[in-house]
Short mmCIF file of all heavy atoms in Angstrom, two decimals:
data_model
loop_
_atom_site.label_atom_id
_atom_site.label_comp_id
_atom_site.label_asym_id
_atom_site.label_seq_id
_atom_site.Cartn_x
_atom_site.Cartn_y
_atom_site.Cartn_z
N PRO A 212 5.84 -3.97 3.84
CA PRO A 212 6.50 -5.25 3.56
C PRO A 212 7.72 -5.18 2.65
O PRO A 212 8.48 -6.14 2.58
CB PRO A 212 5.39 -6.07 2.89
CG PRO A 212 4.54 -5.03 2.20
CD PRO A 212 4.56 -3.84 3.12
N PHE A 213 7.90 -4.08 1.96
CA PHE A 213 8.98 -4.02 0.97
C PHE A 213 10.23 -3.30 1.48
O PHE A 213 11.15 -3.04 0.71
CB PHE A 213 8.47 -3.33 -0.30
CG PHE A 213 7.20 -3.92 -0.83
CD1 PHE A 213 6.10 -3.12 -1.09
CD2 PHE A 213 7.10 -5.29 -1.07
CE1 PHE A 213 4.92 -3.67 -1.57
CE2 PHE A 213 5.92 -5.84 -1.55
CZ PHE A 213 4.83 -5.03 -1.80
N HIS A 214 10.28 -2.98 2.77
CA HIS A 214 11.40 -2.22 3.35
C HIS A 214 11.64 -0.93 2.56
O HIS A 214 12.77 -0.51 2.34
CB HIS A 214 12.66 -3.09 3.38
CG HIS A 214 12.48 -4.39 4.07
ND1 HIS A 214 12.32 -4.49 5.44
CD2 HIS A 214 12.40 -5.67 3.59
CE1 HIS A 214 12.17 -5.75 5.77
NE2 HIS A 214 12.20 -6.49 4.68
N ASP A 215 10.52 -0.35 2.12
CA ASP A 215 10.55 0.89 1.35
C ASP A 215 9.47 1.79 1.93
O ASP A 215 8.27 1.47 1.84
CB ASP A 215 10.28 0.60 -0.13
CG ASP A 215 10.29 1.85 -1.00
OD1 ASP A 215 10.31 2.97 -0.45
OD2 ASP A 215 10.26 1.70 -2.24
N ALA A 216 9.88 2.88 2.54
CA ALA A 216 8.91 3.76 3.23
C ALA A 216 7.86 4.32 2.29
O ALA A 216 6.81 4.78 2.75
CB ALA A 216 9.67 4.90 3.91
N ASN A 217 8.11 4.29 0.99
CA ASN A 217 7.12 4.81 0.04
C ASN A 217 5.91 3.90 -0.07
O ASN A 217 4.85 4.35 -0.50
CB ASN A 217 7.76 4.99 -1.34
CG ASN A 217 6.82 5.70 -2.31
OD1 ASN A 217 6.11 6.64 -1.94
ND2 ASN A 217 6.80 5.25 -3.56
N TRP A 218 6.06 2.64 0.31
CA TRP A 218 4.94 1.70 0.20
C TRP A 218 4.44 1.35 1.60
O TRP A 218 5.10 0.64 2.35
CB TRP A 218 5.37 0.43 -0.53
CG TRP A 218 5.59 0.66 -2.00
CD1 TRP A 218 6.72 1.12 -2.60
CD2 TRP A 218 4.63 0.45 -3.03
NE1 TRP A 218 6.54 1.22 -3.96
CE2 TRP A 218 5.26 0.82 -4.26
CE3 TRP A 218 3.31 0.01 -3.07
CZ2 TRP A 218 4.61 0.74 -5.49
CZ3 TRP A 218 2.67 -0.07 -4.30
CH2 TRP A 218 3.31 0.29 -5.48
N GLN A 219 3.25 1.87 1.93
CA GLN A 219 2.61 1.61 3.21
C GLN A 219 1.26 0.98 2.93
O GLN A 219 0.44 1.51 2.16
CB GLN A 219 2.43 2.90 4.00
CG GLN A 219 3.73 3.61 4.34
CD GLN A 219 4.55 2.88 5.38
OE1 GLN A 219 4.00 2.23 6.28
NE2 GLN A 219 5.87 2.98 5.28
N LEU A 220 0.99 -0.16 3.54
CA LEU A 220 -0.23 -0.93 3.28
C LEU A 220 -1.08 -1.02 4.54
O LEU A 220 -0.58 -0.89 5.66
CB LEU A 220 0.11 -2.36 2.83
CG LEU A 220 0.62 -2.60 1.42
CD1 LEU A 220 1.89 -1.82 1.12
CD2 LEU A 220 0.86 -4.10 1.20
N VAL A 221 -2.37 -1.28 4.35
CA VAL A 221 -3.24 -1.65 5.47
C VAL A 221 -3.83 -3.01 5.15
O VAL A 221 -4.38 -3.22 4.06
CB VAL A 221 -4.36 -0.62 5.70
CG1 VAL A 221 -5.25 -1.05 6.87
CG2 VAL A 221 -3.77 0.76 5.98
N ARG A 222 -3.68 -3.92 6.09
CA ARG A 222 -4.13 -5.31 5.90
C ARG A 222 -5.28 -5.66 6.85
O ARG A 222 -5.46 -5.03 7.89
CB ARG A 222 -2.98 -6.28 6.15
CG ARG A 222 -1.78 -6.13 5.21
CD ARG A 222 -0.73 -7.19 5.51
NE ARG A 222 0.47 -7.03 4.72
CZ ARG A 222 0.64 -7.53 3.50
NH1 ARG A 222 -0.33 -8.23 2.93
NH2 ARG A 222 1.79 -7.35 2.85
N TYR A 223 -6.00 -6.72 6.47
CA TYR A 223 -7.05 -7.28 7.31
C TYR A 223 -6.47 -8.46 8.08
O TYR A 223 -5.87 -9.38 7.49
CB TYR A 223 -8.22 -7.74 6.44
CG TYR A 223 -9.28 -8.52 7.19
CD1 TYR A 223 -10.01 -7.92 8.22
CD2 TYR A 223 -9.54 -9.85 6.88
CE1 TYR A 223 -10.97 -8.64 8.92
CE2 TYR A 223 -10.51 -10.57 7.56
CZ TYR A 223 -11.21 -9.96 8.58
OH TYR A 223 -12.17 -10.67 9.27
N LYS A 224 -6.60 -8.44 9.41
CA LYS A 224 -5.97 -9.46 10.25
C LYS A 224 -6.50 -10.87 9.99
O LYS A 224 -5.79 -11.85 10.19
CB LYS A 224 -6.20 -9.12 11.73
CG LYS A 224 -5.45 -7.90 12.22
CD LYS A 224 -5.74 -7.64 13.69
CE LYS A 224 -5.01 -6.41 14.19
NZ LYS A 224 -5.32 -6.12 15.61
N GLY A 225 -7.76 -10.98 9.53
CA GLY A 225 -8.35 -12.30 9.34
C GLY A 225 -7.62 -13.15 8.33
O GLY A 225 -7.60 -14.39 8.45
N ASN A 226 -7.00 -12.52 7.32
CA ASN A 226 -6.29 -13.29 6.30
C ASN A 226 -4.96 -12.64 5.88
O ASN A 226 -4.28 -13.13 4.99
CB ASN A 226 -7.16 -13.50 5.06
CG ASN A 226 -7.75 -12.20 4.54
OD1 ASN A 226 -7.19 -11.12 4.74
ND2 ASN A 226 -8.88 -12.30 3.86
N ASP A 227 -4.62 -11.53 6.54
CA ASP A 227 -3.38 -10.80 6.28
C ASP A 227 -3.29 -10.22 4.87
O ASP A 227 -2.21 -9.86 4.39
CB ASP A 227 -2.15 -11.68 6.55
CG ASP A 227 -1.99 -12.01 8.03
OD1 ASP A 227 -2.25 -11.12 8.85
OD2 ASP A 227 -1.63 -13.16 8.35
N LYS A 228 -4.42 -10.10 4.19
CA LYS A 228 -4.42 -9.52 2.85
C LYS A 228 -4.55 -7.99 2.93
O LYS A 228 -5.26 -7.47 3.78
CB LYS A 228 -5.57 -10.09 2.02
CG LYS A 228 -5.40 -11.56 1.67
CD LYS A 228 -6.54 -12.05 0.80
CE LYS A 228 -6.36 -13.51 0.42
NZ LYS A 228 -7.48 -13.99 -0.43
N ALA A 229 -3.88 -7.31 2.01
CA ALA A 229 -3.93 -5.85 1.98
C ALA A 229 -5.15 -5.38 1.18
O ALA A 229 -5.41 -5.91 0.09
CB ALA A 229 -2.66 -5.29 1.36
N PHE A 230 -5.87 -4.41 1.72
CA PHE A 230 -6.98 -3.83 0.98
C PHE A 230 -6.70 -2.38 0.59
O PHE A 230 -7.45 -1.78 -0.18
CB PHE A 230 -8.29 -3.92 1.77
CG PHE A 230 -8.32 -3.11 3.04
CD1 PHE A 230 -8.85 -1.83 3.06
CD2 PHE A 230 -7.83 -3.64 4.23
CE1 PHE A 230 -8.89 -1.09 4.23
CE2 PHE A 230 -7.86 -2.91 5.41
CZ PHE A 230 -8.39 -1.63 5.41
N LEU A 231 -5.60 -1.82 1.12
CA LEU A 231 -5.18 -0.47 0.74
C LEU A 231 -3.67 -0.42 0.60
O LEU A 231 -2.94 -0.81 1.50
CB LEU A 231 -5.63 0.55 1.79
CG LEU A 231 -5.17 1.99 1.53
CD1 LEU A 231 -5.88 2.57 0.30
CD2 LEU A 231 -5.41 2.88 2.74
N TRP A 232 -3.21 0.04 -0.57
CA TRP A 232 -1.80 0.25 -0.83
C TRP A 232 -1.61 1.75 -1.03
O TRP A 232 -2.35 2.38 -1.79
CB TRP A 232 -1.35 -0.47 -2.10
CG TRP A 232 -1.57 -1.95 -2.11
CD1 TRP A 232 -2.76 -2.61 -2.03
CD2 TRP A 232 -0.57 -2.95 -2.25
NE1 TRP A 232 -2.57 -3.97 -2.09
CE2 TRP A 232 -1.23 -4.21 -2.24
CE3 TRP A 232 0.83 -2.91 -2.39
CZ2 TRP A 232 -0.53 -5.41 -2.36
CZ3 TRP A 232 1.51 -4.11 -2.52
CH2 TRP A 232 0.85 -5.34 -2.49
N THR A 233 -0.63 2.35 -0.37
CA THR A 233 -0.38 3.78 -0.54
C THR A 233 1.07 3.98 -0.98
O THR A 233 1.99 3.33 -0.47
CB THR A 233 -0.62 4.57 0.76
OG1 THR A 233 0.40 4.27 1.72
CG2 THR A 233 -1.99 4.23 1.36
N TYR A 234 1.27 4.89 -1.94
CA TYR A 234 2.62 5.17 -2.43
C TYR A 234 2.57 6.48 -3.24
O TYR A 234 1.55 6.85 -3.80
CB TYR A 234 3.12 4.04 -3.34
CG TYR A 234 2.17 3.71 -4.47
CD1 TYR A 234 2.35 4.27 -5.74
CD2 TYR A 234 1.08 2.87 -4.27
CE1 TYR A 234 1.47 3.99 -6.79
CE2 TYR A 234 0.20 2.60 -5.30
CZ TYR A 234 0.38 3.14 -6.55
OH TYR A 234 -0.49 2.87 -7.57
N GLU A 235 3.70 7.17 -3.26
CA GLU A 235 3.79 8.41 -4.03
C GLU A 235 4.34 8.10 -5.42
O GLU A 235 5.30 7.35 -5.57
CB GLU A 235 4.69 9.42 -3.33
CG GLU A 235 4.68 10.79 -4.00
CD GLU A 235 5.47 11.83 -3.23
OE1 GLU A 235 5.84 11.55 -2.08
OE2 GLU A 235 5.71 12.93 -3.79
N ARG A 236 3.71 8.69 -6.43
CA ARG A 236 4.14 8.46 -7.81
C ARG A 236 3.77 9.68 -8.65
O ARG A 236 2.66 10.19 -8.55
CB ARG A 236 3.46 7.20 -8.38
CG ARG A 236 3.85 6.83 -9.80
CD ARG A 236 3.33 5.45 -10.15
NE ARG A 236 3.65 5.09 -11.53
CZ ARG A 236 2.77 5.18 -12.54
NH1 ARG A 236 1.53 5.57 -12.33
NH2 ARG A 236 3.14 4.85 -13.77
N ASN A 237 4.71 10.15 -9.43
CA ASN A 237 4.49 11.29 -10.33
C ASN A 237 3.99 12.53 -9.58
O ASN A 237 3.16 13.30 -10.09
CB ASN A 237 3.52 10.93 -11.45
CG ASN A 237 4.05 9.83 -12.36
OD1 ASN A 237 5.26 9.71 -12.54
ND2 ASN A 237 3.14 9.03 -12.91
N GLY A 238 4.47 12.70 -8.36
CA GLY A 238 4.13 13.90 -7.61
C GLY A 238 2.83 13.86 -6.84
O GLY A 238 2.46 14.84 -6.18
N PHE A 239 2.10 12.73 -6.90
CA PHE A 239 0.84 12.60 -6.18
C PHE A 239 0.84 11.32 -5.34
O PHE A 239 1.48 10.32 -5.68
CB PHE A 239 -0.35 12.53 -7.14
CG PHE A 239 -0.63 13.81 -7.88
CD1 PHE A 239 -0.28 13.94 -9.22
CD2 PHE A 239 -1.24 14.88 -7.25
CE1 PHE A 239 -0.54 15.11 -9.91
CE2 PHE A 239 -1.50 16.06 -7.93
CZ PHE A 239 -1.14 16.18 -9.26
N MET A 240 0.10 11.37 -4.22
CA MET A 240 -0.13 10.16 -3.45
C MET A 240 -1.13 9.30 -4.21
O MET A 240 -2.13 9.80 -4.73
CB MET A 240 -0.66 10.52 -2.06
CG MET A 240 -0.81 9.32 -1.14
SD MET A 240 0.72 8.36 -0.94
CE MET A 240 1.85 9.64 -0.37
N ASN A 241 -0.84 8.02 -4.31
CA ASN A 241 -1.70 7.06 -4.99
C ASN A 241 -2.20 6.02 -4.02
O ASN A 241 -1.47 5.61 -3.10
CB ASN A 241 -0.94 6.35 -6.11
CG ASN A 241 -0.73 7.21 -7.35
OD1 ASN A 241 -0.91 6.76 -8.46
ND2 ASN A 241 -0.34 8.46 -7.15
N LEU A 242 -3.43 5.56 -4.23
CA LEU A 242 -4.01 4.48 -3.44
C LEU A 242 -4.42 3.36 -4.37
O LEU A 242 -5.10 3.61 -5.38
CB LEU A 242 -5.25 4.96 -2.67
CG LEU A 242 -5.18 6.29 -1.92
CD1 LEU A 242 -6.54 6.59 -1.29
CD2 LEU A 242 -4.09 6.25 -0.86
N ASN A 243 -4.04 2.14 -4.07
CA ASN A 243 -4.55 0.98 -4.79
C ASN A 243 -5.62 0.32 -3.94
O ASN A 243 -5.39 0.03 -2.75
CB ASN A 243 -3.44 -0.02 -5.09
CG ASN A 243 -2.61 0.38 -6.29
OD1 ASN A 243 -2.69 1.52 -6.75
ND2 ASN A 243 -1.80 -0.54 -6.79
N VAL A 244 -6.80 0.09 -4.54
CA VAL A 244 -7.92 -0.53 -3.82
C VAL A 244 -8.53 -1.63 -4.69
O VAL A 244 -8.53 -1.52 -5.92
CB VAL A 244 -9.00 0.50 -3.44
CG1 VAL A 244 -8.48 1.49 -2.42
CG2 VAL A 244 -9.52 1.23 -4.68
#
């Protein structure tokens, strides 16, 4: 959604809310849950 390839999300179709955020930071892949 941010027009930034570093931020890739997975959403639930029922409400369009994201339950997984993925992005690289400080040399590691990070997941927000």
Side-chain angles (χ1 to χ4, degrees):
F213 308 127
H214 305 289
D215 180 350
N217 187 40
W218 288 85
Q219 299 289 327
L220 285 58
V221 180
R222 298 183 184 274
Y223 172 63
K224 291 180 181 178
N226 52 26
D227 292 321
K228 291 182 179 180
F230 65 94
L231 177 69
W232 302 62
T233 71
Y234 54 96
E235 187 174 349
R236 181 169 178 260
N237 297 330
F239 292 104
M240 185 56 56
N241 285 224
L242 314 178
N243 280 14
V244 293

